[in-house]
Amino acid sequence: MQKVNLSTVSEFVFVGLSDAPEIRLLLFVLFLLIYLATMAGNITLLVAISTDSHLHSPMYFFLGNLSLLDLLCPTITVPKMLKALLLEYKEISFSGCLFQHFSLIDVVGTEIFLLTVMAYDRYVAVCHPLRYPSIMSTKLCAQLAMGTWATGLLNSLLHTSLVFTLSFCGPNKIQQYYCDIPPMLALSCSSTHSRELVILLVAGVLGCSACVVTVVSYIYILLEILARKSPGIWHKAFSTCGSHLTVVCLFYGTTICTYVRPSFTYSPHRDRVVSMLYGMLTPLLNPIIYSLRNKEVKCAVKTVISQVRRAL
């Protein structure tokens, strides 16, 4: 028999934020400042990469894609959250929730695959420096970038179809500030066991594959560094890979804690904190991490900032 959505719920209500009026305004100001700083940092990085000829290389091409994802991720969730804090309008339609869920899973999945591609790029740069321009050609970089976006899209289509073809006929209060997989599964009035297994299986296979490629890339990088034994090699390798490794650890840790686990371990209070890390703080920190650890990026960003100042 064909499965259809038997939902009687037409809208959902976010209850993931504090109802205390004295701190609601404080949270609004705090999250607004974080969001604006995130937008400014990633837009500046994108402009620097696109305008500085020294940054027209595969590494910075992928970094530009990462900055674009870091622009999209908070934009999907934060404006709605700010509206709820300021106007106390916490409702979202069923279709709006579906679109938000689809967009967020798409961006998060694409970022995981992009970080994996960036790890491979660092492996080629360190282990095959002379062949790097020929291996990481413009065509291959474009194919890898399109592949990450396409894989993220297909992954999101699968997860969204599994979640939103469930029946929602009871409570409609989402214990989060956006539509995410764990709180949506917790609200369903139909059996979610089989779909949870599929979600865990797909997320586990894709996540583990991405982790394996990343770990293997860095193992080869480490072996190459140990084999060369040349002076200054550690500093050069750290400057090449340190930023990416920091971002990987921060992003993977928070997303795995959120998604790769069964729903009975779902904790609204803990998950709000974790989701804040990868949903708001990680997009804010990524451009800072890359700017502080990379002299070329730092110089390009300073140039963009000085040009904006002169224009103003």
Side-chain angles (χ1 to χ4, degrees), residues 184-258:
M184 296 306 296
L185 290 175
L187 284 182
S188 176
C189 56
S190 55
S191 176
T192 61
H193 180 68
S194 60
R195 303 197 184 198
E196 281 183 55
L197 290 177
V198 176
I199 290 172
L200 284 173
L201 179 63
V202 173
V205 169
L206 294 178
C208 288
S209 300
C211 285
V212 167
V213 173
T214 303
V215 170
V216 170
S217 296
Y218 276 100
I219 288 175
Y220 275 106
I221 290 172
L222 180 61
L223 293 175
E224 182 68 18
I225 293 171
L226 294 174
R228 288 186 190 179
K229 297 181 181 179
S230 59
I233 186 66
W234 283 101
H235 175 73
K236 183 178 180 181
F238 185 73
S239 64
T240 303
C241 306
S243 300
H244 176 260
L245 195 56
T246 303
V247 170
V248 165
C249 293
L250 182 62
F251 186 80
Y252 271 50
T254 53
T255 51
I256 288 173
C257 288
T258 301

Side-chain angles (χ1 to χ4, degrees), residues 30-99:
L30 175 63
F31 293 146
L32 177 61
L33 291 176
I34 292 175
Y35 179 64
L36 293 177
T38 301
M39 295 296 103
N42 284 286
I43 290 174
T44 301
L45 194 55
L46 273 172
V47 173
I49 291 171
S50 60
T51 57
D52 193 320
S53 60
H54 296 94
L55 303 183
H56 292 173
S57 66
M59 174 183 176
Y60 300 112
F61 169 72
F62 295 128
L63 180 57
N65 279 264
L66 181 64
S67 293
L68 180 57
L69 289 170
D70 286 338
L71 282 172
L72 294 174
C73 186
T75 301
I76 294 168
T77 59
V78 175
K80 183 68 179 178
M81 179 182 66
L82 294 175
K83 182 179 180 181
L85 286 169
L86 186 63
L87 304 177
E88 300 184 47
Y89 185 80
K90 301 179 180 181
E91 292 78 13
I92 185 171
S93 66
F94 187 90
S95 58
C97 187
L98 186 153
F99 178 76

